[in-house]
Amino acid sequence: MKFAQNDNIKNHHGVVSRRKFLSHSAAAVACVVAGRARAAPSPAPWKMRLSTSSIQFTSLPIEQACERIAALGFEAIDIWSPHAGCPHLDDAKDRLGVDGLKAVLRRNKLKTYAWSVYRGGFRKYADFIGAMGGGIAVRGSAPPCPPGELVARMKEFLERMKPELELAEKHDVYLASENHGNALLDSLDSLKAFVDLNRNPRLGIALAPYHLQRSGVAVEDAIAICGKQLLFFYAWQNQPGTQQLPGIGPTDFTPWLAALAKIDYRGYVNPFMHGEPEPDAMTAALRQSREYLLRCSPA
């Protein structure tokens, strides 16, 4: 008897209605699919990781800066070249050397997250950073331009970056260009132009909310535009003194952290300020800032 001609199906238990057979089959398939869905591992929840910058302790040698940062509970460090007289990267390179700095970091259980090379430039430190295992080299962008020239100027900037990016690849380094006031990278439009035109996986953005707030730019929107090209995030607000730090100034960092979680940002959140106080006051401010960020984290 053909299936299409009869609404009954025989099996070894007897006659079953076609409608009941299909109903049971659909239920069985649904159970299998549901079981597989339950068995499939769910994506890991976003977890905030915290670093801070050695320049916060400019008056201390790199060994003591590392000790303070590690004792506060930070997992990683951003080591600065001589902006505002910070001695740390040059001192580490010239006095400690690769083995000496590795020993300092190992003793303090600190990872190297980034190398801020605004002064001196990446080329000067490339060999040393490479020998240290690479990481992210944070740099500036280029001079500003009229809005009508933005795309052309961004293309020129990215083209000029190619030799430096070849050097970065050789040393397993990623380059992160920071947005800044009075610079090429300073607005939502410029961030979008960068992201749209950049095709090199070793080049990304270091996002500084301090400068965005000064221009009235929504930080959450900037984070969303940067997406996977966000390599470094300064937890830094546009306020005087230690109020630049999270939890001390008035800015609510909760939406910023939620925006980072939404794009699944994999770098460190780096509380930061310029014009740091003396070391004990800086230590107390960073402790307060770190505790605040942990309370605000969506994970």
Side-chain angles (χ1 to χ4, degrees):
M1 187 177 293
K2 293 183 179 178
F3 182 80
Q5 294 173 334
N6 198 308
D7 212 31
N8 292 331
I9 300 172
K10 287 187 176 181
N11 65 11
H12 63 282
H13 294 297
V15 178
V16 181
S17 73
R18 179 173 180 270
R19 183 174 297 170
K20 186 179 289 187
F21 174 81
L22 293 176
S23 174
H24 288 177
S25 298
V29 170
C31 287
V32 171
V33 170
R36 287 176 178 172
R38 285 194 297 270
S42 57
W46 183 74
K47 182 179 179 181
M48 179 178 65
R49 300 187 299 164
L50 293 170
S51 66
T52 196
S53 301
S54 73
I55 196 173
Q56 314 298 206
F57 296 103
T58 291
S59 63
L60 299 178
I62 184 63
E63 293 95 333
Q64 292 181 31
C66 287
E67 288 171 6
R68 296 246 182 175
I69 289 168
L72 283 165
F74 289 100
E75 182 181 343
I77 187 171
D78 160 41
I79 299 179
W80 275 63
S81 66
H83 177 86
C86 183
H88 296 141
L89 183 48
D90 281 326
D91 185 45
K93 179 174 74 71
D94 299 334
R95 178 176 63 86
L96 293 178
V98 170
D99 291 341
L101 180 57
K102 283 184 175 181
V104 170
L105 295 168
R106 187 166 54 249
R107 183 165 64 247
N108 289 285
K109 298 180 181 178
L110 269 183
K111 300 174 184 176
T112 47
Y113 169 41
W115 313 84
S116 288
V117 294
Y118 298 98
R119 296 294 174 89
F122 171 58
R123 292 179 183 277
K124 176 180 177 180
Y125 303 103
D127 289 343
F128 180 74
I129 294 173
M132 285 295 301
I136 295 171
V138 184
R139 64 188 306 284
S141 58
C145 70
E149 299 178 16
L150 177 59
V151 172
R153 291 288 187 89
M154 192 64 72
K155 286 180 179 177
E156 291 175 5
F157 169 65
L158 295 174
E159 185 67 27
R160 289 197 304 272
M161 287 292 297
K162 285 182 177 178
E164 202 164 320
L165 286 164
E166 290 174 2
L167 185 62
E169 184 169 8
K170 175 183 175 182
H171 292 291
D172 196 19
V173 173
Y174 294 79
L175 303 182
S177 289
E178 184 207 357
N179 64 289
H180 203 285
N182 197 35
L184 179 64
L185 206 60
D186 72 343
S187 65
L188 292 182
D189 285 343
S190 63
L191 292 171
K192 189 173 188 309
F194 181 102
V195 169
D196 288 347
L197 294 169
N198 175 35
R199 295 292 178 269
N200 194 308
R202 289 198 173 269
L203 179 62
I205 293 169
L207 198 65
Y210 179 98
H211 301 299
L212 297 174
Q213 285 185 315
R214 177 180 285 178
S215 304
V217 173
V219 175
E220 300 95 309
D221 291 345
I223 291 170
I225 288 171
C226 292
K228 295 302 182 185
Q229 295 193 38
L230 182 60
L231 300 182
F232 188 104
F233 185 78
Y234 293 93
W236 183 23
Q237 59 188 300
N238 193 336
Q239 293 292 326
T242 56
Q243 291 185 68
Q244 295 170 64
L245 290 167
I248 300 179
T251 298
D252 180 6
F253 277 66
T254 305
W256 297 3
L257 297 180
L260 292 174
K262 188 172 182 179
I263 67 165
D264 197 27
Y265 171 65
R266 292 295 175 174
Y268 288 82
V269 173
N270 195 88
F272 184 82
M273 65 171 287
H274 275 314
E276 67 283 348
E278 55 84 25
D280 287 346
M282 186 76 247
T283 298
L286 277 174
R287 179 179 292 109
Q288 181 178 342
S289 184
R290 179 181 175 275
E291 290 171 354
Y292 167 80
L293 287 171
L294 290 172
R295 291 196 301 272
C296 290
S297 175

